[in-house]
Amino acid sequence: MVKKYNAENEEEFQEQIIQIDDLDRKILKLITTNARIPFLEVARECGVSGAAIHQRVQRLLNLGVVTGSEFIVSPQKLGYNTCAYMGIYLEKASYDRKVVKQLREISEIVECHHTTGQYAIFIKIQTKTNKHLKKIIDTDLQAIDGISRTETFISLEQEFKRQIPIK
């Protein structure tokens, strides 16, 4: 029986390295290039039945190799023209969970990472303008107990973004 991946058992799945074969790799290359590709087209490309593709994709989902499909919203098309990264220093390491819980409430924070090095937490923020970013820093972030200081980097331009290679 294959144990299904879900948010509650994510750590358990992170520890496992899943073995995939050449057909799985070909499927992953096709569906990560175009998440909307019909399974029948994937089947034709792979030389197998549509049912086989459906079973393979379902297996990859259950194992947590693929965690879903999504539509990506362009922040710039919705007026979010400032992208910033921020390193967060905590007063104490024990404030970690409390701070992350409050960061989660700020909708402009689109990523949050626990890091090694000088910052305890590293976040990505999408705002409409630099002034909007300053307001979030001044009113929302500085109000969070446990944050001792922050360091902000504004991204001038994203050159590329990609998924890991399927080899």
Side-chain angles (χ1 to χ4, degrees), residues 34-68:
N34 176 7
R36 297 183 74 185
I37 189 171
F39 281 178
L40 286 177
E41 191 173 327
V42 174
R44 277 193 294 277
E45 291 280 329
C46 294
V48 297
S49 72
I53 296 301
H54 185 269
Q55 288 173 345
R56 289 290 186 117
V57 170
Q58 191 60 53
R59 178 180 157 272
L60 293 169
L61 282 163
N62 289 344
L63 291 170
V65 173
V66 176
T67 57

Side-chain angles (χ1 to χ4, degrees), residues 10-23:
E10 181 173 4
E11 282 186 31
E12 179 183 334
F13 274 82
Q14 293 295 332
E15 300 295 320
Q16 298 177 3
I17 297 178
I18 306 299
Q19 299 299 317
I20 60 173
D21 63 17
D22 289 341
L23 178 56

